[in-house]
Amino acid sequence: MPSTPKGRSPARGEQVRIIGGEWRSRRLRFPPARDLRPTPDRVRETLFNWLGQDLAGWRVLDLFAGSGVLGIEALSRGAAWVGFVERSARVARSLEENLARLDAPAERFTIWAMNARHWWSSPPQRFEGPIDLVFLDPPFRQPELLQEALEALAEAPWLAEDARVFVESGAPESLRLPERFVVSRETRAGESRSLLLERAG
């Protein structure tokens, strides 16, 4: 996590802005935490240009949610439901508070304060598929998590046949794509590379 910019009190936390959809320009506040680095505006703009701005009916999983801005952007663009998995109870609470401030209907999201590995090893009973889109943005210092997550998705019975997976990685060269996953789009921003994967027939 970068150091707190001058002029901003750490007690107030960090902020990120929603860039599109129903909640465009609304700001989210989240607590400082190690490895918590929201996807930059420019990358989110590129992603939703790739996906299309209207996600009506989509079911989405934000597997390393952090601030939750990717999943909230999906809700803002009409996603039917978003599941957020966040290991830090404190960050998960701030995500719940942000969704309450946005008046997001409770039936359109679920938040699990748990380790992502535990989640994909044994998805909660309240979870229902199929999932159309997955966001994968694990801590950059743990590239093995991304590889494990992709391999788990490849075997997941709840993943839609034509699902898409958005990946952010600081070490993309070491990434091995499971069978049936192909790179549809990609872009770079600073030290990170972003990929949109498609599950091919």
Side-chain angles (χ1 to χ4, degrees), residues 69-82:
V69 69
L70 284 175
I72 291 175
E73 290 277 7
L75 283 173
S76 184
R77 290 165 168 81
W81 176 86
V82 176

Side-chain angles (χ1 to χ4, degrees), residues 16 18 28 30 36 38-39 44 62 64-75 82 84-86 91 94-95 98-99 135:
V16 65
I18 303 170
L28 311 175
F30 56 92
L36 205 168
T39 302
R44 280 182 279 134
D62 195 347
F64 299 89
S67 70
V69 69
L70 284 175
I72 291 175
E73 290 277 7
L75 283 173
V82 176
F84 300 88
V85 182
E86 170 49 45
V91 176
S94 75
L95 174 54
N98 280 321
L99 287 163
F135 297 128

Side-chain angles (χ1 to χ4, degrees), residues 18-97:
I18 303 170
I19 62 170
E22 176 185 358
W23 300 319
R24 182 177 181 177
S25 298
R26 297 284 295 274
R27 291 188 177 274
L28 311 175
R29 185 170 292 170
F30 56 92
R34 187 180 185 187
D35 294 324
L36 205 168
R37 28 157 216 91
T39 302
D41 289 12
R42 184 163 63 89
V43 176
R44 280 182 279 134
E45 184 175 4
T46 297
L47 167 62
F48 288 100
N49 284 338
W50 290 345
L51 295 172
Q53 299 298 325
D54 183 0
L55 302 188
W58 291 40
R59 294 176 58 81
V60 181
L61 180 64
D62 195 347
L63 198 47
F64 299 89
S67 70
V69 69
L70 284 175
I72 291 175
E73 290 277 7
L75 283 173
S76 184
R77 290 165 168 81
W81 176 86
V82 176
F84 300 88
V85 182
E86 170 49 45
R87 65 182 178 179
S88 165
R90 182 171 63 115
V91 176
R93 280 195 301 272
S94 75
L95 174 54
E96 187 172 12
E97 290 165 1

Side-chain angles (χ1 to χ4, degrees), residues 18-194:
I18 303 170
I19 62 170
E22 176 185 358
W23 300 319
R24 182 177 181 177
S25 298
R26 297 284 295 274
R27 291 188 177 274
L28 311 175
R29 185 170 292 170
F30 56 92
R34 187 180 185 187
D35 294 324
L36 205 168
R37 28 157 216 91
T39 302
D41 289 12
R42 184 163 63 89
V43 176
R44 280 182 279 134
E45 184 175 4
T46 297
L47 167 62
F48 288 100
N49 284 338
W50 290 345
L51 295 172
Q53 299 298 325
D54 183 0
L55 302 188
W58 291 40
R59 294 176 58 81
V60 181
L61 180 64
D62 195 347
L63 198 47
F64 299 89
S67 70
V69 69
L70 284 175
I72 291 175
E73 290 277 7
L75 283 173
S76 184
R77 290 165 168 81
W81 176 86
V82 176
F84 300 88
V85 182
E86 170 49 45
R87 65 182 178 179
S88 165
R90 182 171 63 115
V91 176
R93 280 195 301 272
S94 75
L95 174 54
E96 187 172 12
E97 290 165 1
N98 280 321
L99 287 163
R101 291 188 192 101
L102 294 168
D103 292 323
E107 66 273 13
R108 292 183 60 201
F109 68 89
T110 304
I111 300 171
W112 291 283
M114 65 187 298
N115 182 287
R117 278 195 182 106
H118 294 163
W119 192 97
W120 71 60
S121 297
S122 182
Q125 292 182 350
R126 287 177 295 156
F127 166 73
E128 297 179 3
I131 291 296
D132 305 294
L133 172 64
V134 180
F135 297 128
L136 291 183
D137 182 16
F140 276 15
R141 64 186 179 86
Q142 295 179 273
E144 72 282 358
L145 265 180
L146 178 56
Q147 189 66 52
E148 290 179 36
L150 277 174
E151 291 169 2
L153 288 179
E155 302 296 327
W158 42 261
L159 192 66
E161 284 298 312
D162 57 351
R164 300 179 187 183
V165 180
F166 177 68
V167 171
E168 283 190 81
S169 174
E173 294 78 11
S174 63
L175 195 62
R176 301 182 308 279
L177 294 185
E179 186 177 358
R180 290 186 60 196
F181 282 101
V182 297
V183 177
S184 169
R185 303 286 185 91
E186 62 181 289
T187 188
R188 285 187 178 273
E191 65 179 8
S192 72
R193 181 182 175 199
S194 301

